[in-house]
Amino acid sequence: MAVSPASAYSVHNVRDYNTTVWGGNGVRFRTAPGYSTTVRGLVASGDKIKVTATNPGGFGNCEWYKVTLRSKSRNGLPAGTTGWVNWTFVRTLVDKGTQGC
């Protein structure tokens, strides 16, 4: 039986919090967690985001963050767009006790 894309990865909802993208001007904004998933567009350092969920990756941490853009990205993605970014590009990380990983 085939696994649907929505159930192919686990997601841990977190209390929404606002932060920013950090460390790059061409950060890949993906449709799902993972390096081989489709890139929806690019976000840049300073773009305002809201983290809503995490996805456990390797090393016992939450490697991917599900985020929503709080305003239009510097690279043109509209406010309200939801996607996934790697944790290394999130300015303030989810507290280890609340991230669910």
Side-chain angles (χ1 to χ4, degrees):
M1 179 153 102
V3 177
S4 71
S7 64
Y9 55 88
S10 62
V11 173
H12 302 281
N13 292 327
V14 297
R15 184 175 181 181
D16 295 354
Y17 75 95
N18 296 326
T19 186
T20 57
V21 174
W22 177 76
N25 291 321
V27 176
R28 291 173 183 88
F29 198 70
R30 298 181 178 276
T31 58
Y35 292 109
S36 62
T37 59
T38 302
V39 175
R40 174 170 279 155
L42 301 174
V43 292
S45 191
D47 283 348
K48 296 176 181 179
I49 56 175
K50 175 174 64 175
V51 176
T52 60
T54 58
N55 171 256
F59 311 111
N61 64 5
C62 287
E63 187 172 354
W64 296 94
Y65 285 5
K66 184 177 184 180
V67 302
T68 300
L69 290 170
R70 294 188 291 137
S71 59
K72 183 178 178 180
S73 78
R74 295 173 192 211
N75 291 319
L77 288 172
T81 303
T82 298
W84 291 84
V85 295
N86 186 272
W87 71 275
T88 57
F89 298 106
V90 175
R91 169 64 92 187
T92 305
L93 301 180
V94 174
D95 177 43
K96 187 75 170 169
T98 62
Q99 65 186 354
C101 294

